[in-house]
């Protein structure tokens, strides 16, 4: 029997118990049976939760790209590794086989080495969602350089902060990027960022849009001529299990961004294992995750997880609304996608549009649909489940974080019965606990608390780049001996977890703890409402009162706002309780969101409080203009 793939519910419970009782044996077996190693480990893991020290597969030697590419060549050389679907549907899709991926990664790896990049050097990758992005990432991993991918929607300031924080020696970028009907001159953003980045010696530029760009002598180099001349094979660097694989910055809501560090072997084992189980990937399936590789979801579940399993993974350059709102569904049909993984924010945006966009397509190739990044509200869950999954595809609501490296809590398709808005059960090896304010573990079911993980898993982040103390303080201080996720969760009567949102989003009204997510769920159920966000603001008697920002769908018949306010509060009253009624409701055209789709509640809180003095760092906002608009609406 192999431990790698969970077979049925009974087997899940058996595996789960095994992983808790005998974690060393459990992970030893998975690591042993499913990867190629230069040298085996002496010990499966070693840890200290107080000091945040984690080591997995000690002294093993491995290269993750050997596992992502080389070992597939004999059996799957001609199989498509990557399908590239361009922004513009009239541009042909590309199919890159494992053989071709090997050649392209080898060439890039050779170019990087020739330009002086060595094991341990940091390379910043600032590229749109094109195959070169995947190839650059893998080429870094091939030669042991630490990649730091920065989402290509970030501004020059955010890019500069990230390059400087980890002293990157090189930036890999492109002339430009296509995004919907826009063309963005990426190179000029890099130029601006680099005015203040002395560590960067070389900028390698790939061509995408054929923009006119300025190339700085001695620093900037076109990639293509070097790639053409490079050798088409490459001997992979031998990496220690604990050598850093990458740094990825989390979209911090305050302070400077946190460069989460992931290391090689544990990350490899965990992303491969979770990809296989959570998406039930079978040979010849086509898998598509719509995230950007600039986020952890893209790292773990567009690149590493799928390639480690020899899968076919789609890289989509575009956006869900271009050329129209049927783009996702059209791409699923075109490439006969079997597993589709996206974010609730995209689902809600698409559900707001005409149902015809999705109903035009049978979507019969789909087998599993997934959600990630934020709590999926009940209305969105049902829309996704009914109209995309056709009520026949299991919807896997996957909870995890940049810091966790891989999926932690999720249903397993065809195994775990799904329940709307519930991420359900922990994966084998993951030991979640709920904690109360007194730092006690809350036992039993039908309880809520702060979500912590009480035992390490292979892909837990090892540190914050350059600031281990901050890592300890942020994640291991609040509940000593445990990893604190920052999220709140509810455990229902059968032990299913529902993530209720960030704990810092919990608002205490008249002594009652209220999570924002369930209240927003209730509001969103109103047929006139597209999206909402609630925050707390100080109140003389209740301590805090609730302030709701509500985006309406574009329907004319709901113009009578006062009635609408009453109806919304009635819904909340019915579903959450009268205590959760909103004191103020402001109708807005949009919400301030980070580029990864998270609502920046900090700003909404300030506006609700009437404090317009200092909104802090808004450089990561996708739509900074909305802040003034909301502010003016308030005044
Ligand atoms: C939230 C994204 C509810 C959560 C992989 C977490 C979720 C944060 C879910 C991490 C989910 C992610 N249900 N909430 N299925 N998935 N979150 O680092 O608050 O970008 O702490 O990682 O997103 O966001 P990050």
């Amino acid at each position: 029997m192999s431990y790698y793939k969970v077979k049925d519910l009974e087997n899940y419970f058996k595996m789960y118990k095994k992983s808790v009782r005998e974690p060393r044996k459990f992970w030893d077996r998975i690591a042993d049976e499913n990867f190629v190693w230069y040298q085996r480990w002496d010990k499966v893991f070693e840890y200290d939760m107080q000091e945040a020290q984690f080591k997995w597969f000690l002294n093993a030697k491995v290269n993750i790209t050997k596992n992502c590419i080389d070992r597939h060549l004999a059996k799957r050389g001609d199989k498509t590794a990557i399908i590239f679907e361009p922004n513009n549907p009239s541009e042909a899709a590309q199919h890159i086989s494992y053989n071709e991926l090997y050649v392209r990664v080898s060439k890039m790896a050779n170019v990087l080495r020739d330009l002086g990049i060595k094991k341990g050097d940091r390379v910043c990758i600032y590229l749109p969602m094109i195959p070169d992005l995947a190839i650059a990432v893998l080429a870094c991993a091939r030669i042991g350089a630490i990649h730091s991918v920065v989402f290509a929607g970030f501004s020059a300031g955010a890019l500069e902060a990230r390059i400087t924080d980890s002293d990157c020696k090189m930036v890999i970028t492109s002339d430009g990027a296509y995004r919907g009907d826009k063309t963005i001159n990426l190179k000029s953003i890099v130029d601006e960022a680099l005015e203040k980045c002395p560590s960067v010696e070389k900028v390698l530029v790939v061509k995408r849009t054929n923009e006119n760009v300025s190339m700085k002598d001695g620093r900037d180099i076109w990639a293509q001529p070097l790639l053409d001349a490079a050798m088409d094979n490459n001997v992979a660097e031998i990496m220690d299990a604990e050598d850093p694989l990458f740094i990825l910055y989390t979209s911090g809501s305050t302070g400077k961004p946190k460069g989460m560090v992931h290391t090689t072997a544990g990350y490899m084992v965990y992303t491969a294992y979770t990809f296989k189980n959570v998406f039930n990937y079978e040979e010849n399936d086509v898998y598509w995750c719509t995230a950007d590789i600039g986020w952890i979801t893209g790292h773990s579940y567009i690149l590493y997880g799928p390639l480690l399993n020899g899968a076919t993974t789609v890289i989509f350059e575009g956006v869900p609304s271009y050329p129209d709102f049927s783009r996702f569904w059209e791409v699923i049909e075109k490439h006969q996608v079997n597993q589709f993984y996206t974010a609730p924010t995209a689902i809600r945006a698409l559900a707001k549009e005409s149902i015809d966009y999705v109903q035009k397509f049978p979507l019969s190739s789909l087998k599993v649909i997934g959600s990630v990044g934020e709590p999926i509200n009940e209305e969105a869950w049902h829309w996704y489940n009914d109209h995309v999954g056709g009520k026949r595809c299991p919807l896997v609501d996957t909870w995890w974080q940049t810091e966790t490296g891989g999926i932690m809590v999720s249903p397993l398709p065809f195994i775990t019965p799904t329940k709307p808005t519930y991420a359900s059960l922990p994966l084998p090896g993951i030991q979640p606990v709920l904690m109360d304010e007194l730092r006690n573990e809350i036992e039993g079911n039908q309880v809520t608390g702060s979500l912590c993980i009480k035992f390490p898993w292979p892909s837990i982040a090892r540190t914050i780049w350059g600031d281990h103390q901050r890592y300890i303080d942020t994640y291991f201080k609040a509940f000593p001996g445990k990893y604190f996720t920052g999220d709140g969760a509810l455990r229902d009567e059968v032990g299913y977890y529902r993530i209720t949102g960030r704990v810092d989003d919990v608002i205490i009204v008249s002594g009652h703890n209220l999570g924002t997510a369930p209240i927003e769920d209730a509001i969103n159920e109103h047929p006139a409402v597209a999206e909402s966000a609630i925050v707390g603001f100080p109140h003389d008697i209740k301590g805090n009162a609730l302030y709701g920002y509500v985006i309406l769908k574009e329907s004319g018949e709901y113009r009578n706002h006062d009635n609408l306010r009453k109806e919304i509060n009635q819904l909340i009253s019915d579903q959450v309780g009268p205590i959760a009624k909103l004191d103020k409701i402001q109708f807005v055209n949009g919400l301030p969101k980070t580029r990864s789709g998270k609502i920046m509640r900090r700003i909404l809180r300030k506006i609700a409080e009437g404090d317009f003095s200092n909104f802090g760092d808004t450089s990561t906002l996708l739509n900074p203009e909305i802040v003034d608009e909301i502010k003016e609406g308030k005044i």
Side-chain angles (χ1 to χ4, degrees), residues 533-537 545-549 582-584 586 607-608 634:
I534 58 165
V535 295
F537 71 101
L546 298 180
Y547 192 113
Y549 297 87
L582 308 183
D583 275 36
K584 292 194 181 145
Q586 182 181 350
I607 296 176
K634 173 84 184 358

Side-chain angles (χ1 to χ4, degrees), residues 9 34 47 51 53 106 294 302 342 395 411 415 500 540 557 569:
L9 199 57
N34 299 286
Y47 71 102
E51 296 298 321
Q53 296 290 344
S106 294
I302 294 177
T342 195
L395 194 174
I415 294 178
T500 47
D540 283 351
E557 52 185 297
N569 265 331

Side-chain angles (χ1 to χ4, degrees), residues 326-347:
S326 63
R327 191 69 203 282
F328 272 5
W329 324 127
E330 207 171 71
V331 173
I332 291 175
E333 214 52 55
K334 177 173 175 188
H335 297 297
Q336 290 292 290
V337 170
N338 302 110
Q339 290 89 3
F340 177 67
Y341 191 29
T342 195
T345 186
I347 296 298

Side-chain angles (χ1 to χ4, degrees), residues 3 14-30 44-45 56 428-429 431 455:
Y3 286 5
K14 208 171 129 194
M15 290 285 194
Y16 189 79
K17 282 194 195 117
K18 178 131 212 138
S19 75
V20 172
R21 233 181 18 236
E22 297 180 281
R24 290 177 198 283
K25 188 164 172 201
F26 181 79
W27 291 113
D28 183 87
R29 182 86 172 260
I30 289 173
V44 179
F45 59 85
W56 282 78
Q431 301 186 36
F455 197 79

Side-chain angles (χ1 to χ4, degrees), residues 297 372-375 397-402 487 499 502 598:
T297 306
V372 61
E374 53 180 319
D397 176 3
T398 65
W399 174 81
W400 60 296
Q401 310 177 294
T402 304
D487 284 328
I499 314 303
R502 303 294 302 185
K598 289 200 172 58

